[in-house]
Amino acid sequence: MGERGEPRSLGLVDGGLEAFAVGDETHLVAALDPAWPPEVAAAFDRWRQAGLRGRCDCGTAGWRDVAPAPWPAAVDGVPVLEAVLNHAPGCPAGEQAVAEVFARHGLKVP
Ligand SMILES: [Zn+2]
Protein backbone atom coordinates (compact mmCIF):
# COMPACT_ATOMS: atom_id res chain seq x y z
CA MET A 1 0.00 0.00 0.00
CA GLY A 2 1.27 3.47 -0.76
CA GLU A 3 0.12 6.91 0.10
CA ARG A 4 -3.62 7.28 0.23
CA GLY A 5 -6.23 10.00 0.33
CA GLU A 6 -7.61 11.88 3.27
CA PRO A 7 -9.46 9.67 5.74
CA ARG A 8 -13.13 10.43 6.29
CA SER A 9 -14.86 9.23 9.43
CA LEU A 10 -17.86 6.98 8.87
CA GLY A 11 -18.74 7.06 12.53
CA LEU A 12 -18.51 4.78 15.51
CA VAL A 13 -18.82 1.01 15.17
CA ASP A 14 -19.68 -1.53 17.84
CA GLY A 15 -16.84 -2.55 20.08
CA GLY A 16 -15.29 0.88 20.63
CA LEU A 17 -14.16 1.23 17.03
CA GLU A 18 -14.42 4.03 14.52
CA ALA A 19 -14.65 3.39 10.81
CA PHE A 20 -12.86 5.58 8.28
CA ALA A 21 -13.15 5.64 4.51
CA VAL A 22 -9.76 6.05 2.85
CA GLY A 23 -10.10 6.01 -0.91
CA ASP A 24 -12.15 2.89 -1.65
CA GLU A 25 -11.05 1.16 1.55
CA THR A 26 -12.66 1.09 4.95
CA HIS A 27 -10.41 1.09 8.00
CA LEU A 28 -11.35 0.44 11.57
CA VAL A 29 -9.38 1.94 14.39
CA ALA A 30 -10.04 2.20 18.10
CA ALA A 31 -12.26 5.18 18.83
CA LEU A 32 -11.05 8.05 20.99
CA ASP A 33 -12.34 7.69 24.54
CA PRO A 34 -14.01 10.90 25.72
CA ALA A 35 -12.71 10.14 29.22
CA TRP A 36 -9.07 10.42 28.08
CA PRO A 37 -7.07 13.52 29.00
CA PRO A 38 -6.43 15.77 25.98
CA GLU A 39 -2.75 14.77 25.81
CA VAL A 40 -3.69 11.11 25.57
CA ALA A 41 -6.39 11.69 22.96
CA ALA A 42 -4.00 13.84 20.89
CA ALA A 43 -1.25 11.22 21.02
CA PHE A 44 -3.59 8.43 20.02
CA ASP A 45 -5.12 10.47 17.24
CA ARG A 46 -1.64 11.25 15.85
CA TRP A 47 -1.02 7.53 15.63
CA ARG A 48 -4.45 6.88 14.08
CA GLN A 49 -4.21 9.63 11.50
CA ALA A 50 -0.70 8.66 10.39
CA GLY A 51 -1.86 5.08 9.95
CA LEU A 52 -4.97 6.07 8.05
CA ARG A 53 -3.08 8.46 5.77
CA GLY A 54 -0.24 6.03 5.18
CA ARG A 55 2.36 8.69 5.83
CA CYS A 56 4.00 10.47 8.70
CA ASP A 57 6.41 13.34 9.24
CA CYS A 58 9.01 10.84 10.45
CA GLY A 59 9.38 9.56 6.89
CA THR A 60 7.68 6.31 7.79
CA ALA A 61 9.28 3.07 6.74
CA GLY A 62 6.15 1.56 5.27
CA TRP A 63 3.56 -0.96 6.30
CA ARG A 64 3.62 -3.87 8.63
CA ASP A 65 1.04 -6.58 8.32
CA VAL A 66 -0.92 -7.44 11.41
CA ALA A 67 -2.55 -10.75 12.14
CA PRO A 68 -6.28 -10.57 11.57
CA ALA A 69 -7.82 -8.78 14.50
CA PRO A 70 -11.32 -9.46 15.80
CA TRP A 71 -12.69 -6.81 13.47
CA PRO A 72 -15.81 -7.43 11.47
CA ALA A 73 -14.95 -8.63 7.96
CA ALA A 74 -17.00 -5.85 6.43
CA VAL A 75 -18.86 -2.69 7.33
CA ASP A 76 -21.90 -1.91 5.19
CA GLY A 77 -20.71 -4.46 2.68
CA VAL A 78 -17.26 -2.92 2.32
CA PRO A 79 -14.38 -5.29 3.11
CA VAL A 80 -12.35 -4.24 6.13
CA LEU A 81 -8.58 -4.13 5.86
CA GLU A 82 -6.05 -3.73 8.61
CA ALA A 83 -2.52 -2.45 8.38
CA VAL A 84 -0.13 -0.75 10.76
CA LEU A 85 2.37 1.88 9.76
CA ASN A 86 6.00 1.52 10.80
CA HIS A 87 7.40 4.70 12.34
CA ALA A 88 10.98 5.85 12.69
CA PRO A 89 12.41 5.41 16.20
CA GLY A 90 11.40 8.31 18.44
CA CYS A 91 8.49 9.41 16.22
CA PRO A 92 5.80 11.06 18.40
CA ALA A 93 3.16 9.22 16.36
CA GLY A 94 4.90 5.88 16.86
CA GLU A 95 3.52 3.16 19.07
CA GLN A 96 6.23 3.52 21.70
CA ALA A 97 5.75 7.28 22.14
CA VAL A 98 1.99 6.86 22.29
CA ALA A 99 2.29 4.06 24.83
CA GLU A 100 4.47 6.31 26.99
CA VAL A 101 1.82 9.02 27.03
CA PHE A 102 -0.81 6.48 28.06
CA ALA A 103 1.48 5.10 30.76
CA ARG A 104 2.12 8.58 32.17
CA HIS A 105 -1.62 8.86 32.74
CA GLY A 106 -1.95 5.35 34.09
CA LEU A 107 -3.96 4.27 31.03
CA LYS A 108 -3.69 1.32 28.67
CA VAL A 109 -3.46 1.72 24.91
CA PRO A 110 -6.62 0.21 23.39
ZN1 LIG B 1 5.98 8.59 12.38
Side-chain angles (χ1 to χ4, degrees):
M1 278 180 282
E3 194 168 293
R4 299 172 296 175
E6 287 299 298
R8 179 171 55 87
S9 178
L10 301 174
L12 298 177
V13 180
D14 285 349
L17 301 172
E18 184 171 357
F20 284 86
V22 186
D24 58 359
E25 299 172 355
T26 298
H27 287 252
L28 293 178
V29 293
L32 301 179
D33 186 333
W36 286 341
E39 185 193 12
V40 171
F44 194 70
D45 201 43
R46 263 199 308 277
W47 175 83
R48 295 198 319 172
Q49 294 295 330
L52 290 164
R53 289 182 162 81
R55 62 181 185 273
C56 182
D57 292 343
C58 70
T60 172
W63 296 95
R64 171 161 53 84
D65 288 334
V66 171
W71 310 133
V75 171
D76 294 338
V78 180
V80 172
L81 305 176
E82 187 188 23
V84 170
L85 201 60
N86 282 323
H87 290 270
C91 175
E95 285 164 59
Q96 187 178 346
V98 172
E100 286 169 6
V101 173
F102 275 76
R104 268 206 301 281
H105 290 271
L107 296 167
K108 291 187 89 167
V109 181

